[in-house]
Amino acid sequence: MGLLEGRIALVTGAARGLGAEIAKAFVEEGAGVLLTDVLEEDGAATARALGNKAAFQKHDVTNEDDWRAAVAAVKDQFGGLDILVNNAGIAEGGRIEDTSLEDFRRVTSINLDGVFLGHKHAAPLIRERAGKWEGGGAIINISSVAGLIGLGGVPAYTASKGAVRLLTKSAALEYAQNGEKIRVNSIHPAFTETPMMESTAGKLVESGLAPDAEEAKAFLTALHPIGRMGVPRDMANAAVFLASDESAFMTGSELVVDGGLSAR
Ligand SMILES: NC(=O)c1ccc[n+]([C@@H]2O[C@H](COP(=O)([O-])OP(=O)(O)OC[C@H]3O[C@@H](n4cnc5c(N)ncnc54)[C@H](O)[C@@H]3O)[C@@H](O)[C@H]2O)c1
C-alpha cells in the first residue's frame, strides 16, 4: 500500500518542475491530486499524464477568488483535502537599486502572499478530515536554501523565502496549540533541475557572470558539496515523507534538501 493511500492533495504551481514531480509522486503513493497553476495548457497536460487520480484547475495563488474556487474544486471532485503543497513561486531578481517596488511586490505576492492565502483558504477543509490520519493533515511550504542563508542578487526572492520559513513555524504552532491535527513543515531545496534553474543559469550568462549556459550550470553545480544539483524527485521524496504519517511527529520544522550547500 502506498504511503498516501486514500489521501487527497492540492499542489500549486504543478504544471511543471518541482510541483509536477510532487504531484506524480503523490499519485504513485496512492493519493488523488488536484494540480493547480496559471499555465493552463501545461497544467492540464501534466494532470492528464497522471491518469484518473489527478485533475487540473487554473489558479493564480495571488488571487483570493481563485483560492476559493480551487478549494471548492478539490472538495467537489475528490471529496475533501488532506495535504496542501504551497509550491508555486518565481525567482526574478536584480540589484536592489534596480528593482522597482512593483517588481519586489510581484515576487513576494506569489512567493509569500500565495502561501498565506493557501493556509487561510485550505486549512478549514483540511481540518474536516484531519482526525482520519495518525499524522493528521499536512501543509508543506516550498521555501529554498535562500530562506536559510542570504543569496545576493535576488532580494525579493530571498526575503520571501525567509518569510515562508517563519510563516510555516507560526502556522504550525497555531494549529498545534489549538489542538488541531494539521502539521506544517517547509522544504528548502538548493538549485534543482527545473525551468526555474534554467532561467537562473540564463541570467548568470546575461549578467556576464558566466560565458555560456554550460559554464553557468557548472558554476551552480559546484555550489553543492555533494557534486550535483538537485533533481525534482529529491524534493518529491521529501514532500511524500512530510505528507505521510512517517513524519507524524514533525511540525514547524525545516527539511533541508540541498546536497550540503547550506552546511558550508
Ligand atoms: N528549481 C530550483 O532551483 C529551486 C530551488 C529552491 C526553491 N525552489 C522553489 O520550488 C518551487 C517550484 O520551483 P520550480 O523550480 O519548479 O519552478 P518552475 O518555474 O519550474 O515552476 C514554478 C511553477 O509555478 C507556477 N506559478 C508561477 N506563478 C504562479 C502563480 N501566481 N500562481 C500559480 N502558479 C504560479 C509557474 O507557472 C510554474 O509552473 C518554487 O517555490 C521555487 O521558489 C526552486
Side-chain angles (χ1 to χ4, degrees):
M1 202 167 93
L3 283 171
L4 302 178
E5 211 64 52
R7 317 267 170 133
I8 302 161
L10 192 163
V11 183
T12 70
R16 65 184 195 198
L18 297 190
E21 192 67 15
I22 290 169
K24 183 166 187 268
F26 280 9
V27 168
E28 287 166 3
E29 291 294 340
V33 184
L34 182 69
L35 294 83
T36 76
D37 205 292
V38 286
L39 298 177
E40 213 165 351
E41 274 180 33
D42 289 356
T46 303
R48 248 192 327 273
L50 297 181
N52 60 9
K53 295 197 79 170
F56 173 74
Q57 165 104 359
K58 185 163 187 255
H59 171 204
D60 178 344
V61 295
T62 66
N63 182 311
E64 210 154 2
D65 285 339
D66 279 11
W67 269 109
R68 290 190 188 94
V71 169
V74 79
K75 185 166 185 174
D76 287 353
Q77 294 175 42
F78 293 89
L81 184 64
D82 305 300
I83 304 156
L84 169 67
V85 184
N86 283 310
N87 165 76
I90 61 169
E92 286 161 18
R95 287 178 61 92
I96 291 176
E97 287 163 39
D98 300 333
T99 302
S100 67
L101 182 57
E102 193 186 8
D103 287 344
F104 188 88
R105 285 184 174 154
R106 185 176 130 69
V107 174
T108 58
S109 73
I110 296 172
N111 293 3
L112 175 59
D113 301 2
V115 176
F116 160 72
L117 290 175
H119 279 263
K120 183 172 168 68
H121 290 284
L125 189 58
I126 296 177
R127 193 175 292 127
E128 284 180 16
R129 284 165 49 109
K132 254 178 97 111
W133 318 107
E134 185 202 335
I139 299 180
I140 299 163
N141 295 327
I142 307 299
S143 176
S144 167
V145 284
L148 300 171
I149 56 173
L151 281 192
V154 277
Y157 185 77
T158 307
S160 63
K161 292 299 184 179
V164 165
R165 172 176 170 266
L166 285 181
L167 175 57
T168 299
K169 294 182 196 304
S170 175
L173 291 175
E174 178 182 319
Y175 301 139
Q177 285 162 358
N178 287 335
E180 293 168 325
K181 285 187 76 180
I182 305 179
R183 297 179 301 107
V184 193
N185 295 287
S186 53
I187 295 179
H188 299 261
F191 291 97
T192 306
E193 293 175 14
T194 69
M196 180 182 281
M197 185 282 294
E198 295 290 339
S199 137
T200 303
K203 282 172 200 154
L204 288 176
V205 178
E206 271 167 40
S207 57
L209 289 170
D212 55 38
E214 209 171 304
E215 285 290 322
K217 286 185 204 167
F219 169 78
L220 294 176
T221 300
L223 298 174
H224 304 76
I226 220 164
R228 66 169 175 88
M229 281 194 244
V231 292
R233 195 37 76 138
D234 292 320
M235 310 313 149
N237 288 340
V240 166
F241 170 66
L242 289 177
S244 76
D245 291 343
E246 300 288 299
S247 60
F249 194 52
M250 287 175 72
T251 197
S253 74
E254 44 202 57
L255 193 46
V256 182
V257 189
D258 73 347
L261 187 152
S262 64
R264 285 189 204 270

